[in-house]
Amino acid sequence: MTATDLDAFGQGVARHNGKAVFISGLLPGEQAEVTLTEDKRQYAKGRVKRLLTTSEQRVKPACPHFNTCGGCQQQHASEVLQQQSKSAALLRLISRETGVEAQPQPVIAGPQYGYRRRARLGLQIAGSAKGGGKGKNKMASSSSSSTLVMGFRQEGSNDLVAINRCPVLRPELERLLVPLQHCLSQLSAAQRLGHVELVLAENGPLIVLRHLDPLKEQDRASLLAFGAEHGVALWLAAESDSLELLCGEQPLYQIDDLSLKFSPRDFIQVNDDVNQQMVAQAIEWLDLNSDDRLLDLFCGVGNFTLPLAKRVKHVTGVEGVATLVANGQDNAIRNNLNNAEFFHENLEEDVSQQPWAAQGFNKVLLDPARAGAAGVMAHIIKLDPQRVVYVSCNPTTLARDSKILLEAGYRLAQVRMLDMFPHTGHLESMALFINPSAA
C-alpha cells in the first residue's frame, strides 16, 4: 500500500478496496507491505510489515521512548510535514462544515523540542495492578526491592513507560526526571503515591506530588532536601482538590510584559513561545483602540484579559472555575489594571441572565475548552460586536460554532493554525470574524 496523507495521529492514510486504511508509522508517499490489524466496514487499520520506500520527510525521532510512550505520535515526520498536514486538515474541516474556503496562513509555531512547560507523569510500582497511577491503585506486595516506575502511559494502555528522557519537555524539567524518580523511590510512601506534575514557572520549576496516605516526617524531610538541592518548589496533594506548599514560592508566568500568578493546578498554556505569539495575534486581529469595551469568555487567569486591558477602555473576563477567577482578579491588581473585571459563571448555562451579560461590548474574544462555546454563541450574536476572535483547541467545535457567526452575517476573515503541541495529534487554531456592518 502507498500512503497519500497523514492523519493527526501520525498514521499514514491509504486506500484499499474502496476504504481508508490507517497505517501506523507510514508517511505520505511511502509504500509498504501492510498487515491489517482491524477491518471495519468503513475503514481499516494496519501496521507496517516491511517498508518498501522512504519519504524525504521521514526524520529520526529525538526521543528514545518514541513508539512505546503514548505522548508523541509524529516524531518520525518532519516539522514541515506535520504542520502542512494539520493545517490542511483544519481548512478541509472548516470548508466541509461551513462552506467557506479559508485561505492558508503561516502557522504560528515555536521550537519543536523543549517546549512543554507542564507534564503529568504516572507513578506505579513495577508489577502492581494496572491503572494504579490514577490514585486508587492496588499495589504489589511491599518489598524493599520493588521498583517505582515514573512515566507516561502507553497508547491505549494503563501500563507506564519508564521515562528518563523527554525531549519535548523544557530542559529545566527534563533534567529533573532521573533524580526525582530516585528521590520518590526512596520514600517509605513509595507504594502509595499517585502521580507527579512538573511545571516550569517564571520563577523556577515546581512539583506537585499526589500521595494517598499522610507522609511521614522522614519523607517530608527527604522531599525538602530534594527541593533545596534542585531549586524546586514542592507542593503536596493529599487529596485531589487540596494543595500544601512544602517549600518554594507562588508560581508566576509572564505575558506581554505582565506578571501573572497561578496555582500549580490552574490551566496555563503549555507552550509559552506559541502562547506569546497567539496573544499578540489576537491583539492585532481585534484592532484595539482606547474606546473599546471587550468581552473575554473562558478567560482563565487573565492570559488574554490583562494584555487586552492595557489597550482598551474596559475588559470583562468570564470563567467557570472559581480559583481561576480569583487569580485573575489578583493578577489585575498586581499589574495595576483597574479596568478589568472578572465574573465566575457557568458559560454552559443560559448566560442571558448572568450579571455580565447586561453590559455592552463591541469586541469579543473566546477561548473555550474542547466542548466549544455553544452556550454563548447566541449571546455573542445579540451583542453584535465588530470583531470576534475565537481561539480553539478542537477544530470540530470551532467549525460548529463558526456556522452560527456566519449565518448571522459575519465574515470569516482569517484562520491560523497554532502548533501548540508539536509531534502530537492536537490541532489548535484561532479565527477572526468581522461584522460587515461595522467594517
Side-chain angles (χ1 to χ4, degrees):
M1 292 186 190
T2 301
T4 57
D5 201 357
L6 186 72
D7 78 353
F9 302 101
Q11 299 177 118
V13 184
R15 308 292 299 186
H16 179 66
N17 293 335
K19 72 172 71 171
V21 183
F22 300 95
I23 306 162
S24 178
L26 193 64
L27 297 180
E30 292 184 336
Q31 189 176 42
E33 294 179 0
V34 174
T35 300
L36 292 183
T37 57
E38 190 174 339
D39 194 4
K40 302 289 188 180
R41 187 164 61 90
Q42 295 183 325
Y43 70 91
K45 291 185 177 182
R47 57 178 174 80
V48 175
K49 181 179 179 181
R50 185 163 67 98
L51 191 62
L52 302 176
T53 62
T54 302
S55 168
E56 293 181 354
Q57 299 286 359
R58 180 174 288 276
V59 297
K60 182 180 179 180
C63 181
H65 305 294
F66 184 67
N67 285 330
T68 55
C69 171
C72 294
Q73 299 84 36
Q74 298 189 11
Q75 285 193 21
H76 63 303
S78 71
E79 175 182 354
V80 170
L81 177 57
Q82 289 185 43
Q83 292 178 359
Q84 285 179 344
S85 61
K86 287 185 182 181
S87 185
L90 171 67
L91 297 182
R92 281 198 304 269
L93 178 62
I94 290 177
S95 174
R96 184 177 73 240
E97 296 298 320
T98 68
V100 175
E101 297 288 341
Q103 295 301 308
Q105 298 293 330
V107 172
I108 294 178
Q112 291 291 289
Y113 289 96
Y115 69 85
R116 282 197 73 108
R117 61 177 171 184
R118 166 169 247 144
R120 172 170 164 164
L121 295 97
L123 298 171
Q124 198 173 76
I125 296 296
S128 68
K130 301 300 182 283
K134 295 184 177 179
K136 295 182 180 179
N137 36 351
K138 297 178 181 178
M139 292 298 179
S141 58
S142 178
S143 168
S144 59
S145 62
S146 296
T147 301
L148 180 70
V149 177
M150 184 178 81
F152 299 117
R153 300 196 181 279
Q154 296 181 25
E155 184 69 28
S157 170
N158 280 330
D159 291 345
L160 292 183
V161 178
I163 297 294
N164 52 42
R165 283 197 59 211
C166 183
V168 298
L169 281 183
R170 289 286 296 267
E172 299 93 327
L173 299 181
E174 186 186 25
R175 68 173 63 109
L176 292 173
L177 292 176
V178 173
L180 178 60
Q181 188 278 336
H182 177 73
C183 172
L184 297 180
S185 68
Q186 301 304 307
L187 300 181
S188 63
Q191 298 207 21
R192 295 292 291 164
L193 301 178
H195 61 262
V196 64
E197 297 174 65
L198 306 180
V199 183
L200 182 62
E202 196 71 31
N203 47 341
L206 67 92
I207 293 171
V208 179
L209 177 62
R210 175 78 169 96
H211 57 98
L212 308 181
D213 297 329
L215 293 179
K216 296 179 180 179
E217 284 305 314
Q218 181 181 351
D219 284 351
R220 296 172 72 93
S222 296
L223 291 168
L224 280 167
F226 179 88
E229 179 182 354
H230 295 278
V232 171
L234 269 161
W235 299 70
L236 302 178
E239 304 290 341
S240 59
D241 57 353
S242 70
L243 281 176
E244 173 196 351
L245 177 59
L246 184 65
C247 62
E249 303 175 340
Q250 174 80 36
L252 304 169
Y253 80 92
Q254 290 189 333
I255 183 72
D256 193 43
D257 297 324
L258 300 170
S259 179
L260 275 60
K261 80 169 189 177
F262 64 99
S263 165
R265 284 186 169 155
D266 284 352
F267 172 80
I268 63 169
Q269 295 289 355
V270 162
N271 190 322
D272 177 58
D273 194 288
V274 172
N275 184 51
Q276 301 285 341
Q277 296 179 66
M278 176 178 70
V279 171
Q281 180 66 91
I283 290 169
E284 179 186 328
W285 278 357
L286 286 165
D287 192 23
L288 302 172
N289 63 69
S290 58
D291 292 326
D292 285 335
R293 292 183 58 85
L294 202 140
L295 175 64
D296 180 10
L297 298 170
F298 311 93
C299 66
V301 298
N303 187 60
F304 288 101
T305 323
L306 301 181
L308 295 171
K310 292 169 57 177
R311 297 165 169 84
V312 301
K313 182 176 183 178
H314 189 269
V315 180
T316 295
V318 188
E319 168 61 49
V321 180
T323 56
L324 297 180
V325 172
N327 282 333
Q329 292 168 332
D330 288 346
N331 284 326
I333 294 170
R334 68 181 284 117
N335 288 283
N336 300 310
L337 294 169
N338 57 14
N339 62 335
E341 64 177 340
F342 291 81
F343 289 86
H344 174 217
E345 299 289 346
N346 186 347
L347 292 173
E348 295 180 356
E349 297 178 346
D350 178 11
V351 302
S352 62
Q353 301 305 310
Q354 294 177 3
W356 62 269
Q359 302 179 30
F361 305 95
N362 67 316
K363 291 173 184 176
V364 174
L365 182 142
L366 63 161
D367 183 12
R370 290 189 60 79
V376 299
M377 298 309 298
H379 192 74
I380 291 175
I381 299 300
K382 183 179 178 181
L383 290 171
D384 195 33
Q386 299 164 10
R387 291 184 174 224
V388 177
V389 170
Y390 191 130
V391 180
S392 168
C393 60
N394 184 350
T396 300
T397 50
L398 169 64
R400 180 199 68 196
D401 296 341
S402 295
K403 286 192 286 187
I404 299 173
L405 290 167
L406 295 168
E407 289 167 0
Y410 281 80
R411 175 172 63 89
L412 178 56
Q414 301 270 6
V415 180
R416 291 191 73 178
M417 190 199 111
L418 306 167
D419 198 14
M420 189 73 76
F421 298 93
H423 311 299
T424 77
H426 294 287
L427 202 170
E428 314 243 338
S429 59
M430 59 192 303
L432 167 65
F433 300 86
I434 296 179
N435 188 338
S437 65

